[in-house]
Amino acid sequence: MALGVLSDATLGDRLVVRARHGDGAQDALGTLTARTADTVTIETRRGPLDVRLADVVAAKPVPPPPAPRPRRP
């Protein structure tokens, strides 16, 4: 199912992808910027992250981030 979400997503979609990483898992939240036969690239706040499809455990679309709150005077 997770790979189906990734194959159906279009470049520019906002996603969260969970992938195996060492003994645990790593989440990538951001915009899908590239896809190859073996990887997807998610542009996160920390920069682009390449995720191997073989390591993907879960993936789902997410809504846009909330608008920044106005600062209090």
Side-chain angles (χ1 to χ4, degrees), residues 16-22 24-28 46 49-51 55 58:
V16 62
V17 178
R18 176 166 286 181
R20 288 184 293 278
H21 185 75
Q26 178 180 19
D27 289 340
R46 293 182 174 183
L49 182 65
D50 293 327
V51 180
D55 294 335

Side-chain angles (χ1 to χ4, degrees), residues 12-69:
D13 284 354
R14 192 161 185 257
L15 305 168
V16 62
V17 178
R18 176 166 286 181
R20 288 184 293 278
H21 185 75
D23 290 336
Q26 178 180 19
D27 289 340
L29 170 64
T31 305
L32 177 65
T33 57
R35 178 178 28 232
T36 69
D38 300 322
T39 65
V40 291
T41 302
I42 306 294
E43 182 68 39
T44 70
R45 285 184 179 182
R46 293 182 174 183
L49 182 65
D50 293 327
V51 180
R52 289 178 359 121
L53 295 176
D55 294 335
V56 171
V57 176
K60 68 178 184 177
V62 293
R69 293 183 183 188

